Amino acid sequence: MSSAGRTTVEELIARSNTLGADPRFTNYAGGNTSAKGSATDPVTGTDVELLWVKGSGGDLGTLTEQGLAVLRLDRVRALKDVYPGVDREDEVVAAFDYCLHGKGGAAPSIDTAMHALVDAAHVDHLHPDAGIALACAADGEKLTEQVYGDKVVWVPWRRPGFQLGLDIAAIKDANPRAVGTILGGHGITAWGDTSAQAEANSRWIIETAEAFLAQNSRPQPFGPVLPGHEALEPAARRARAAALAPVIRGIASRDKPQVGHFSDADVVLDFLSRTEHPRLAALGTSCPDHFLRTKVKPLVLDLPPSTDLETAIARLQELHEDYRADYQAYYDRHADEHSPALRGADPLVVLVPGVGMFSYGKDAQTARVAGEFYVNAINVMRGAEGVSSYAPIDEAEKFRIEYWALEEAKLQRMPKPKPLATRIALVTGAASGIGKAIATRLAAEGACVVIADLDLAKAQAAAAELGSTDVAVGVAADVSDPDAVKAAVDQAVLAFGGLDLVVNNAGLSISKPLLETTEKDWDLQHAVMAKGSFLVAQAAARVLIAQGLGGDIVYIASKNSVFAGPNNIAYSAVKADQAHQVRLLAAELGEHGIKVNGVNPDGVVRGSGIFAGGWGASRAKTYGIAEDDLGKFYAQRTLLKREVLPEHVANAVFVLTAGELSHTTGLHVPVDAGVAAAFLR
């Protein structure tokens, strides 16, 4: 690639990142940008004209050079000569593969034609809320002329593809003063001779629309406040959300498990407090990026937040059945023999007046972004209703996008999900040692992880090591305190939508002979491990049962739960208590599809908070060895002569919960390298 080409790419990346970083300009993974320039053909050594364009599925805000598709401009434009017409335009997408330069970079998107065919060196296609508000207004064409004159031209709705590229190219040629277009029901396109000019034109179109809407909107575009639908106070709101979240996650997950996200942003609460929200929500979203993430429309609870919880839950379940029937009817109205199979009839967005919005997806990021997209949709509705009326594209066109063969092909190209994808795990005592190793393994296998620990700062630091808050969060939890346990479970539910996998790992040990063990020693260990495990299992079971999705509870017990050793009466007794809790809860919770199993480690010295806290020194003294040799000592007394590490315990938790042992409950798995005296009988 020539230095000129490199400069072109660098300018394109910089412009893309700037535009993509501002939510006023486009949504996550929405829109695309391009640049045309020349580079050297490595075969002929001559210069060729190229198109660099954001590849399929990429995000402008985080775009890098690897995310660009690189195509021979002459070959893409030559497709006009063989274009079979709008009824067969999808066939052109496959032809893009034969237009690539070299290895071509990322996969070209459906919008590639728009960028190649428009006669401008730099082109931006964006999804700004203000621009879509004009695009989705009932009289959008008239408003576009009123706002922009002849500098921005209206393009009637057309599904993205080769024909839309031809339409925009023709409009630019016929309107020499134009710097861009408003795409009906969709977004905007802007262009320029330089990267700076294209960016300036994009900004001008968007900011001009924002100013027009602000200056001309009627005072209450969503209508007056609906009595009784005002937002609850923050504490009451989040308590109500935590109580509803497991039920709503079960609703969203009937066809396939989903991860959830909760938002009580002011924009959502205001929308749900207004008289027009039921009508507007029923109209659904319009921009393809919106409804592909949110489904065509949300499920809306039609009760005020003062309604008692049982009545609200019953109504949500009724509305769910109505929603499923309505979605099936929508599919049946428009599907033909070539349509992909129905992908599920559950909602991806559930709106609860006075409380907020619950959004869902295959992982936490997808769930969060779905909620962000519905906020975009609310902003679009507000803008359109403020100066006109909201008029999204019709249902048939939405179906053509949602069940587009090209969209289905994109979904089929997605990598196979990890074993614990969609599962939400809560691990107690997870800021260090065995708990941290378990949390790390679960996250690596695709789970969303809540790290609970007595020390909040350490819990948050451990979570940060695993990734963003879409992967893990840290919460404070004194497991011996029922209020603290409930608060931790509520935080888990609000962070990821619910719970699937709970690991009772929090523990401590005080090693003393019987005559030196104090009542305080006994009470402390029983409060943390026996009582604490009971409280965590109880709070988690309430969520698991409400979801109706089954689940796993795993106790990290100990070899000492069955092995009688010297000088640890309190610790071994409490571990036996935990071991029997496994059996009792397996018997009780089985009818709800909840599996309860245990892991019995032994001698986990390295990385263990218990051993570092004095237990190691005490046990070494008991055995008459140096503390540094304790791991080797434990290894030599085993059948396998291997030292047990935290990661080995994590392996057992994974095996118990990853799905292969779907019919196993009430089991204790020894992770002790073979201690014959601890064999289960």
PDB file of all heavy atoms in Angstrom, residues 198 390 399 416 665:
ATOM      1  N   ALA A 198     -16.267  15.497   4.788  1.00  0.00           N
ATOM      2  CA  ALA A 198     -17.322  14.518   5.021  1.00  0.00           C
ATOM      3  C   ALA A 198     -17.770  14.551   6.477  1.00  0.00           C
ATOM      4  O   ALA A 198     -18.976  14.544   6.776  1.00  0.00           O
ATOM      5  CB  ALA A 198     -16.843  13.119   4.642  1.00  0.00           C
ATOM      6  N   TYR A 390     -45.011  10.258  14.653  1.00  0.00           N
ATOM      7  CA  TYR A 390     -44.088   9.154  14.429  1.00  0.00           C
ATOM      8  C   TYR A 390     -44.719   8.143  13.480  1.00  0.00           C
ATOM      9  O   TYR A 390     -45.819   7.642  13.727  1.00  0.00           O
ATOM     10  CB  TYR A 390     -43.747   8.505  15.764  1.00  0.00           C
ATOM     11  CG  TYR A 390     -42.879   7.285  15.681  1.00  0.00           C
ATOM     12  CD1 TYR A 390     -41.599   7.341  15.141  1.00  0.00           C
ATOM     13  CD2 TYR A 390     -43.323   6.049  16.173  1.00  0.00           C
ATOM     14  CE1 TYR A 390     -40.796   6.211  15.080  1.00  0.00           C
ATOM     15  CE2 TYR A 390     -42.528   4.919  16.122  1.00  0.00           C
ATOM     16  CZ  TYR A 390     -41.263   5.008  15.567  1.00  0.00           C
ATOM     17  OH  TYR A 390     -40.471   3.886  15.508  1.00  0.00           O
ATOM     18  N   PHE A 399     -40.454  -7.008   8.634  1.00  0.00           N
ATOM     19  CA  PHE A 399     -40.247  -8.453   8.510  1.00  0.00           C
ATOM     20  C   PHE A 399     -39.173  -8.760   7.473  1.00  0.00           C
ATOM     21  O   PHE A 399     -38.341  -9.654   7.674  1.00  0.00           O
ATOM     22  CB  PHE A 399     -41.556  -9.151   8.139  1.00  0.00           C
ATOM     23  CG  PHE A 399     -41.418 -10.647   8.092  1.00  0.00           C
ATOM     24  CD1 PHE A 399     -41.574 -11.401   9.241  1.00  0.00           C
ATOM     25  CD2 PHE A 399     -41.103 -11.306   6.903  1.00  0.00           C
ATOM     26  CE1 PHE A 399     -41.420 -12.788   9.218  1.00  0.00           C
ATOM     27  CE2 PHE A 399     -40.949 -12.675   6.871  1.00  0.00           C
ATOM     28  CZ  PHE A 399     -41.105 -13.426   8.032  1.00  0.00           C
ATOM     29  N   LYS A 416     -19.631 -20.493  17.599  1.00  0.00           N
ATOM     30  CA  LYS A 416     -20.387 -21.323  18.529  1.00  0.00           C
ATOM     31  C   LYS A 416     -20.232 -20.769  19.945  1.00  0.00           C
ATOM     32  O   LYS A 416     -19.131 -20.434  20.368  1.00  0.00           O
ATOM     33  CB  LYS A 416     -19.874 -22.761  18.475  1.00  0.00           C
ATOM     34  CG  LYS A 416     -20.629 -23.726  19.371  1.00  0.00           C
ATOM     35  CD  LYS A 416     -20.049 -25.125  19.276  1.00  0.00           C
ATOM     36  CE  LYS A 416     -20.782 -26.085  20.207  1.00  0.00           C
ATOM     37  NZ  LYS A 416     -20.202 -27.456  20.153  1.00  0.00           N
ATOM     38  N   THR A 665     -27.201 -34.707  40.641  1.00  0.00           N
ATOM     39  CA  THR A 665     -27.438 -33.805  41.767  1.00  0.00           C
ATOM     40  C   THR A 665     -27.200 -34.579  43.056  1.00  0.00           C
ATOM     41  O   THR A 665     -27.330 -35.813  43.091  1.00  0.00           O
ATOM     42  CB  THR A 665     -28.850 -33.203  41.716  1.00  0.00           C
ATOM     43  OG1 THR A 665     -28.967 -32.145  42.671  1.00  0.00           O
ATOM     44  CG2 THR A 665     -29.928 -34.251  41.965  1.00  0.00           C
TER      45      THR A 665
END
